[in-house]
Amino acid sequence: MSRDSRLERRGESWTLTLPCPVKASHLEGCTLERVMRKIVSEGGNIIMDRLSTNARFMVVSDLDHTMVDHHDHENLSLLRFNALWEDNYRHDSLLVFSTGRSPTLYKELRKEKPMLTPDITIMSVGTEITYGYSMVPDDGWVEVLNQKWDQNIVREEASKFSELKLQSETELRPHKVSFYVDKDKAQTVTKELSEILKQRGLDVKIIYSGGIDLDILPQGAGKGQALAYLLKKFKSEGKLPTNTLVCGDSGNDAELFSIPDVYGVMVSNAQEELLQWHAENAKDNPKIIHATERCAAGIIQAIGHFNLGPSTSPRDVTDFSDSELENVNPGHDVVKFYLFYERWRRAEVENCETYLASVKASYYPAGVYVHPSGVELSLNDGLNELRKSYGDKKGKQFRVWVDRVLATQIGADTWLVKFDKWESFGEEKQCSMCSVILSSKADGDSKGFTWMHMHHTWLEGFGAKDHSIWP
């Protein structure tokens, strides 16, 4: 939905104005819910330009043992960050994942963990930059890295070192060759191999991290250089983020903390190699802290420590009715509702009509809910279906989170909110792509929104087997 779309209410009637490519002739005679279907099916290539101005805030985070805690089997710290980001930051900020993983291993991690979709992905230790959900590559970065680089020569010379064990083919990328090496041999191998490659006319850097991984990259590559490239690009376009927070736990993250004017957090579980780098290079830098919390919880802690924005995750709020909001926004209503939905099915809230009455009060009386299966219900009938599911996931590994929550104002007091809603139950995951129309409450004393319409569609490959539950 573009910014030129408008949805206006006049009494009990609605007027919806849409830009191309949704043709008006295609919508003749359609009810509101069927119009929404057309928007989803024909307007999917209309993407709101989220970088029309500089980002309020940018988080650049490593993944393994930084954003993702592999010792947290409930993924609670990651889910806390997810809720905080979609509630307060997604609409005007940038999320960047900077990982040593190749695209193959990165996608595997996304299947395993409840991760958000980043705006930018830096992979393979800073040698690949992609944008958005479709992961469109940055060709300009490829040109930078081609300088004085030849992967064949790197592999030829490295093969002469018996201490080096080549990693799997998925980890061998156009501008990265990766090996395993014992910690006690890493320093010697690095020094000797660097000299040999220099003599062969290459300009490379060798990064050792995690106590075992040795990566050989072009000299211009690395997580820090990739970030510096992005910041320079943003600045040239007049879109430099107001504040940037870098987050890491290991040696290959050190370069991130070397970028001027960024804030930095080493999570509490940071490895010795990063802590040693900090002690030698940045111990007097007040913009870099060693968090007392692990992984994503440490990132949240740093946001609060540096006063970069709201740092209370909605998951830490037990009673939303008592919470004070700095800014009421459509994204907050979406995050709040699906947290309630999770807690309702886990029986973590009391089974009482008071809660359901509060939800019902936020519904437009004539509102329609379109189930992913195609079944259409009134919002109130959908609420009755929700009532039946109370506690059906009690004591079980059931979690709900929303991703890519983006709201577009389409009327004086009306928003179209699009997002992905995920549910996980043990090893099973399902996802529906959602479009919701929200309207500001008419009562000036009431904060929040009225839910006018909901339309869910299964994401291909993630549909539910049981269509009886109201998602």
Side-chain angles (χ1 to χ4, degrees), residues 6 58 60 74 81 147 160 176 223 257 299 317 346 348 374:
R6 298 192 308 278
M58 181 166 74
V60 182
E74 290 286 330
F81 177 86
Q147 307 298 318
K160 300 174 183 178
K176 180 177 79 76
K223 290 185 176 183
F257 298 91
I299 298 174
V317 177
R346 286 172 60 95
E348 293 177 346

Side-chain angles (χ1 to χ4, degrees), residues 73-85:
H73 300 298
E74 290 286 330
N75 299 305
L76 289 179
S77 64
L78 182 55
L79 289 167
R80 287 178 60 224
F81 177 86
N82 290 357
L84 175 64
W85 188 261

Side-chain angles (χ1 to χ4, degrees), residues 17-18 51 79 101 110 136 138 152 157 163 187 230 237 282 296 301 305 351 361 454 470:
T17 303
L18 295 170
L51 290 178
L79 289 167
R101 288 181 176 241
R110 286 185 61 85
V136 178
D138 188 317
N152 293 328
E157 295 297 342
E163 300 93 337
Q187 186 172 358
L230 287 173
E237 297 172 354
Q301 180 184 0
H305 176 84
N351 184 3
M454 301 175 68
W470 185 68

Side-chain angles (χ1 to χ4, degrees), residues 82-90 116 331 335 402-405:
N82 290 357
L84 175 64
W85 188 261
E86 297 298 336
D87 188 347
N88 293 284
Y89 297 103
R90 173 70 78 173
L116 296 181
V335 172
V402 291
D403 182 24
R404 297 197 292 166
V405 179

Side-chain angles (χ1 to χ4, degrees), residues 18 149 177 192 249 279 283 305 334 340 343 354 365 466:
L18 295 170
W149 170 258
V177 184
E192 294 180 6
D249 78 297
K283 65 179 180 179
H305 176 84
V334 169
F340 167 76
R343 292 168 181 174
T354 302
D466 182 5

